[in-house]
Amino acid sequence: MRSRFRSGEVIVRREILAGREWLVYPVRVASDDERALAVYLAQGTPLTFGRGDFRWGPHPWTEFEHVWQSSGVLQLQRPGDGYAVWGRWEDGVLSEWYVNFQAPLVRTERGFDTLDHELDLIIPGDGSPYRWKDVEHFEERVRTGGFDAGEADAVRAAAASVVDLVERGACWWEQWRDWRAPADWAVPAPVALYDDASRR
C-alpha cells in the first residue's frame, strides 16, 4: 500500500459501517504528509450509498439528491485522531471550521476509510464562540445501542480534546485558513461501490 497520495490526485473516502460501505465519494488530495491528510470535497461531487440493510438504517443523506450540495469543503484529518476538521469558505472568506467526529482514518490503496460518529462542533471563522451540533442524535445513537460504551467514550474523549485545543488557542488547522481550491480542479466522477470492504 502506498504511504502517501499525490497532491491533486483523486482518491476515495468511504464510510464503513459493520464492514460494509455505507457512503462512498471521491475527494481530491490537497496535501498528504506525516502530519495530516488534507482532501477537498467539491460542490456537485457524486455520492454513492451502500445497498441493503444497515444496523443504522439508510444513510440520512439518501433522501436528498445524491451529490454534495453545499459549497466545497477542505477535510483535514490527522493519523489517530477521532475527528476531522472541515473548512468552509463563502465569497473567499473562511465561514467556519466544522469539526466532524468520526472513526480514525484507515488508509487504503485508493483512499481512506472512516465512519461519521454523529457529533459535530462548529467553530465560526470570525472568532465567535463555538457551538455543538447533533448532540441529541449522538446521544440517541448511544441510547439505542448504535455505539457500544467504548465507542461512545472515545467520541466524548475526542470532543474533549478538541475543546481543549480551541480553548488553549492551539488549533492546528488554522494554518489552512488561507487555502483555496485551485480553479482547475474539476468535480470528480462517481465512485462505484467496492462491495467487499475487506478488500483494500
Side-chain angles (χ1 to χ4, degrees), residues 164-179:
D164 177 65
L165 290 173
V166 172
E167 294 184 345
R168 289 191 293 111
C171 302
W172 57 267
W173 51 87
E174 276 290 339
Q175 64 185 298
W176 289 88
R177 174 176 286 267
D178 296 325
W179 183 87

Side-chain angles (χ1 to χ4, degrees), residues 61-76:
W61 294 354
T62 56
E63 21 183 283
F64 306 107
E65 185 181 359
H66 293 184
V67 297
W68 180 252
Q69 298 185 27
S70 67
S71 58
V73 294
L74 179 70
Q75 301 177 343
L76 306 168

Side-chain angles (χ1 to χ4, degrees), residues 3-7 29-38 107:
S3 58
R4 298 283 176 253
F5 297 109
R6 302 184 310 277
S7 178
V29 176
S31 175
D32 186 16
D33 58 30
E34 67 281 356
R35 295 167 298 173
L37 171 62
R107 287 177 177 266

Side-chain angles (χ1 to χ4, degrees), residues 26-30 38-43 45 71-75 87 89 179 181 185 188:
V27 290
R28 198 176 294 271
V29 176
V39 299
Y40 183 66
L41 170 57
Q43 186 173 33
T45 295
S71 58
V73 294
L74 179 70
Q75 301 177 343
W89 287 263
W179 183 87
W185 278 7

Side-chain angles (χ1 to χ4, degrees), residues 2 10 37 62 64 73 77 106 112:
R2 291 180 300 161
V10 174
L37 171 62
T62 56
F64 306 107
V73 294
Q77 43 261 306
V106 175
F112 66 98

Side-chain angles (χ1 to χ4, degrees), residues 48-198:
T48 304
F49 297 96
R51 297 184 293 266
D53 295 330
F54 289 88
R55 75 170 194 265
W56 288 2
H59 195 284
W61 294 354
T62 56
E63 21 183 283
F64 306 107
E65 185 181 359
H66 293 184
V67 297
W68 180 252
Q69 298 185 27
S70 67
S71 58
V73 294
L74 179 70
Q75 301 177 343
L76 306 168
Q77 43 261 306
R78 300 188 303 181
D81 281 349
Y83 66 92
V85 180
W86 296 16
R88 300 178 185 271
W89 287 263
E90 299 294 342
D91 299 322
V93 177
L94 179 78
S95 61
E96 66 182 25
W97 296 113
Y98 185 99
V99 184
N100 191 66
F101 293 95
Q102 61 186 45
L105 71 88
V106 175
R107 287 177 177 266
T108 69
E109 277 294 335
R110 56 186 197 145
F112 66 98
D113 295 347
T114 184
L115 178 63
D116 191 294
H117 284 160
E118 299 283 354
L119 189 63
D120 304 294
L121 182 68
I122 298 173
I123 307 169
D126 63 4
S128 300
Y130 63 79
R131 63 186 186 276
W132 294 99
K133 180 176 178 290
D134 293 336
V135 174
E136 64 285 353
H137 294 298
F138 169 72
E139 294 297 347
E140 179 65 11
R141 185 81 76 199
V142 174
R143 188 189 69 78
T144 58
F147 297 121
D148 64 32
E151 290 171 328
D153 287 347
V155 176
R156 294 187 178 106
S161 72
V162 172
V163 167
D164 177 65
L165 290 173
V166 172
E167 294 184 345
R168 289 191 293 111
C171 302
W172 57 267
W173 51 87
E174 276 290 339
Q175 64 185 298
W176 289 88
R177 174 176 286 267
D178 296 325
W179 183 87
R180 300 294 182 275
D184 62 349
W185 278 7
V187 175
V191 175
L193 295 176
Y194 211 45
D195 290 326
D196 180 2
S198 67

